[in-house]
Amino acid sequence: MLQQDWHPVAETIEPGTVRSVKLLEREFVIWRCGDRILAWDDRCPHRGVRLSGGTVEDGGLRCPYHGLVFNREGRCVEVPAVSGWNPSPQLALSSYLAELRYGLVWLSLNPDADPKTIPSFPEWNDLNYRKFLCGAYRFRSSPLRVMENFLDVSHFPFVHDGLLGDRLHTEVPEYQVDWNEQGLFIKDVQIWQPNPDGTGEGAKVTYNYHAPTPLSAWFEKLSSNRRLSIFFTICPLEPELAMGWMWIAMNYGSDIPQAELHSFQDRVVRQDIPIVESQQPKRLPLTLSQEGHLPSDRASIAYRQWLQRRGVEFGAIAS
C-alpha cells in the first residue's frame, strides 16, 4: 500500500543535477531539467549501467557508459556510436511522478497519484513562523518503528531526560486517539518538559498529532502563547532501513541562533536512533498479541491498527 503514497527521497536538487535515490528497495535516478524534476529507474536499458552517473546535456540525460541520450520523456534520442540510427522503442525509459515540496523531492510509484495528496505541512506558508529543515536522519530499523517512536511521548523522561522529559514527571494522562479517511489523530497529550524546544525554559506542554499517511506526521506543541510544530516525513528505503527529515516551525524564539535550535533537534534525534535501532524485531509487529502494551500506549496501538486497516506490509510483521 505504501506504493500508493508520496515519499520524500532527497533534498532539493539544482538544475543540471543528477542523483541516485532509493525507495521501497528500488533504485531511481532523479534529475532536474529547468523547473522539472524527472524520475526513472536507475538503469540504462542498453547495458544496465546506473544513469545516476550520467550528465545533463541540452535538456537530456547522457548515459556514462556509451553516451546514449534520453530526453525528458525518457525516449532515447542519440546513439553516438551509430549516428543517424533511429533508436528502438526498447530503449525508452518509464517515468515516475516527482514533485518538489517543502524543499524535498517527493516520489510516487502510483501513476495516478495526485500532487495534492502530498502530506500537508500547515505552517509552510505562514510568515508568523520561523522554519528550518533538520536531517536527513538515518535509522537502521523499520520505517514504521521510526514513526511509532515519533508518535510516542512516554519515552521522553527516559530517552530525553533533561530535554523533553524528566524522571520526576513520568505520568502521561489520558488522551484522545482516532482515525478516519483523513488519517490518524492523537489529541490532548499533556506532559511536563524541562527544556521543550531548546530555549532552556521548562513548561507543561500539550501535543496534538496528525498522521495523514503511515510515514508522514505533524504535531503541534502548545505552551502558554508559544507554539512549535514539527513535520516529520520518512523515506522507506528498505523494510529495516529508513531516512527521515524534520521541518521545525516556531512562532517564538526569534533571538535564538538557528544553529543552536538545529543542534538541539539533532541531539534529540541522536538519542532516539540507538533506542529504535535496538528494538527487536526490527520490523513493527501489527498483531497486538506479539508485544505487551500499557495504557499509555494507546497512540501506538491505534497506529498499528490503522496500518493493518490500510494493508501496510512493508517494514511490518503482520502475524
Side-chain angles (χ1 to χ4, degrees):
M1 291 302 296
L2 295 183
Q3 295 190 32
Q4 304 301 311
D5 295 330
W6 289 92
H7 302 282
V9 294
E11 293 178 36
T12 302
I13 57 174
E14 298 299 321
T17 301
V18 185
R19 287 278 307 272
S20 174
V21 298
K22 192 171 190 177
L23 174 64
L24 296 169
E25 297 187 288
R26 294 175 56 182
E27 305 284 348
F28 300 90
V29 57
I30 59 172
W31 60 288
R32 185 161 178 173
C33 186
D35 59 352
R36 285 187 60 189
I37 294 180
L38 301 156
W40 301 332
D41 289 306
D42 196 5
R43 178 185 179 278
C44 178
H46 174 225
R47 288 294 181 265
V49 168
R50 286 183 179 273
L51 288 170
S52 54
T55 54
V56 178
E57 301 178 17
D58 298 324
L61 182 61
R62 187 181 294 279
C63 175
Y65 195 12
H66 295 96
L68 277 66
V69 176
F70 300 88
N71 65 11
R72 292 187 184 199
E73 286 68 44
R75 185 167 59 88
C76 182
V77 294
E78 181 184 336
V79 181
V82 192
S83 60
W85 181 65
N86 187 24
S88 164
Q90 187 178 2
L91 293 176
L93 289 155
S94 297
S95 298
Y96 300 93
L97 296 178
E99 293 284 336
L100 183 62
R101 194 74 54 87
Y102 318 131
L104 299 171
V105 177
W106 296 74
L107 189 64
S108 178
L109 305 186
N110 174 11
D112 299 319
D114 186 343
K116 293 180 181 178
T117 61
I118 293 175
S120 173
F121 173 24
E123 289 75 31
W124 179 249
N125 293 314
D126 193 330
L127 299 180
N128 294 312
Y129 286 82
R130 178 186 189 181
K131 296 175 280 287
F132 56 94
L133 180 65
C134 295
Y137 301 116
R138 197 175 183 90
F139 293 77
R140 295 191 176 278
S141 186
S142 162
L144 306 176
R145 285 279 198 192
V146 178
M147 180 53 72
E148 185 182 69
N149 176 76
F150 180 72
L151 301 175
D152 176 88
V153 301
S154 61
H155 74 278
F156 287 178
F158 303 95
V159 179
H160 308 301
D161 187 21
L163 298 178
L164 302 183
D166 185 337
R167 295 196 180 203
L168 299 178
H169 300 82
T170 59
E171 190 75 19
V172 179
E174 289 192 12
Y175 54 88
Q176 303 174 41
V177 180
D178 191 18
W179 74 76
N180 54 37
E181 66 280 357
Q182 302 300 319
L184 177 68
F185 296 86
I186 306 165
K187 299 180 180 179
D188 299 324
V189 185
Q190 298 183 19
I191 189 170
W192 193 88
Q193 297 181 328
N195 189 6
D197 43 40
T199 62
E201 299 180 26
K204 184 176 182 179
V205 300
T206 299
Y207 282 82
N208 295 306
Y209 292 82
H210 176 213
T213 67
L215 294 176
S216 290
W218 160 95
F219 74 60
E220 63 174 0
K221 179 160 62 172
L222 308 174
S223 176
S224 62
N225 62 340
R226 294 181 171 185
R227 185 174 182 275
L228 176 146
S229 73
I230 294 183
F231 175 70
F232 185 36
T233 185
I234 300 168
C235 178
L237 302 171
E238 299 175 6
E240 297 178 7
L241 184 64
M243 184 166 60
W245 289 267
M246 290 183 174
W247 269 103
I248 316 297
M250 307 167 61
N251 68 353
Y252 61 97
S254 59
D255 57 326
I256 303 174
Q258 181 173 311
E260 289 186 19
L261 298 171
H262 199 295
S263 177
F264 175 84
Q265 194 60 38
D266 287 346
R267 183 181 175 188
V268 169
V269 176
R270 284 196 301 268
Q271 292 174 336
D272 281 319
I273 290 174
I275 292 293
V276 174
E277 291 185 339
S278 74
Q279 289 180 283
Q280 296 294 331
K282 289 186 176 296
R283 302 189 188 197
L284 183 68
L286 299 189
T287 302
L288 297 185
S289 61
Q290 293 174 295
E291 289 187 335
H293 304 282
L294 309 172
S296 56
D297 293 330
R298 57 179 61 89
S300 62
I301 291 171
Y303 179 61
R304 297 181 189 201
Q305 292 173 328
W306 179 54
L307 294 176
Q308 281 189 311
R309 183 69 61 88
R310 284 189 55 133
V312 175
E313 296 179 354
F314 191 89
I317 302 173
S319 59

